[in-house]
Amino acid sequence: MNPIAPDIAPEAAEFWEATKDRRLVIQHCPTCGHQWYPRAICTGCGDQPGWVEISGRGTLHSFTTVHRSPDGRKVESLERSPRSRGDGPRSAEPSGRGAGDWLQPPYVIALVELDEGPRMLTRLVGGDPVCDASVIVDWHPLDDGRHLPVFRIEG
């Protein structure tokens, strides 16, 4: 099972459309240069922002490892479940996941400082997280053709 595809707010339509092609875009104001996430107007000057494609590279600013599933079960109780005895995959990676594995702990939520400036709260996949590590965008497919941007340690 893939993560639930988020609804598309009108201000974010171009962002989600770009993910279909695995392109990471952010808003950028042509008047004042302010960059931000989807807004109807620039929070810096009030002008209408445009969209720019960015590198998809950044630095791991902070992270937390989640050890409890969204339904409240701890890792230990999941390990005693029938699925942990070989009845289904429990990959730590988004690719090749079995049903329901996307939010099975442990998983890492990260604050990535993009090379272009803004910070993005995201999922970190692959490798051991270390603050100040270089990261690069990766993509997890959603059922509707869009992709969810996640990040992995570069290298």
Side-chain angles (χ1 to χ4, degrees):
M1 177 171 103
N2 284 327
I4 296 170
D7 292 333
I8 301 174
E11 298 84 16
E14 280 196 56
F15 172 85
W16 287 111
E17 190 62 30
T19 70
K20 291 179 179 178
D21 298 323
R22 297 180 176 163
R23 294 182 305 110
L24 189 59
V25 297
I26 59 172
Q27 281 188 328
H28 178 267
C29 179
T31 304
C32 72
H34 189 71
Q35 295 173 326
W36 201 248
Y37 303 103
R39 306 267 191 217
I41 62 170
C42 175
T43 58
C45 71
D47 200 358
Q48 188 168 4
W51 291 89
V52 294
E53 187 169 351
I54 60 173
S55 68
R57 297 186 186 294
T59 303
L60 181 57
H61 181 75
S62 183
F63 68 92
T64 187
T65 302
V66 178
H67 293 279
R68 188 177 293 266
S69 68
D71 66 6
R73 291 182 292 162
K74 294 181 181 176
V75 173
E76 296 81 26
S77 66
L78 291 169
E79 289 171 350
R80 290 190 298 268
S81 72
R83 290 181 18 134
S84 66
R85 294 191 300 264
D87 296 342
R90 285 203 51 225
S91 170
E93 299 295 315
S95 57
R97 285 189 171 278
D101 279 351
W102 177 251
L103 291 178
Q104 294 302 330
Y107 60 92
V108 177
I109 300 296
L111 183 61
V112 169
E113 186 166 331
L114 300 168
D115 284 354
E116 292 77 10
R119 290 183 178 172
M120 184 176 195
L121 193 59
T122 185
R123 176 85 182 262
L124 187 72
V125 297
D128 294 321
V130 177
C131 285
D132 298 324
S134 293
V135 294
I136 188 164
V137 72
D138 199 356
W139 299 96
H140 184 78
L142 298 172
D143 291 336
D144 64 359
R146 295 180 289 162
H147 292 81
L148 188 66
V150 298
F151 282 76
R152 67 176 54 251
I153 303 293
E154 193 171 19

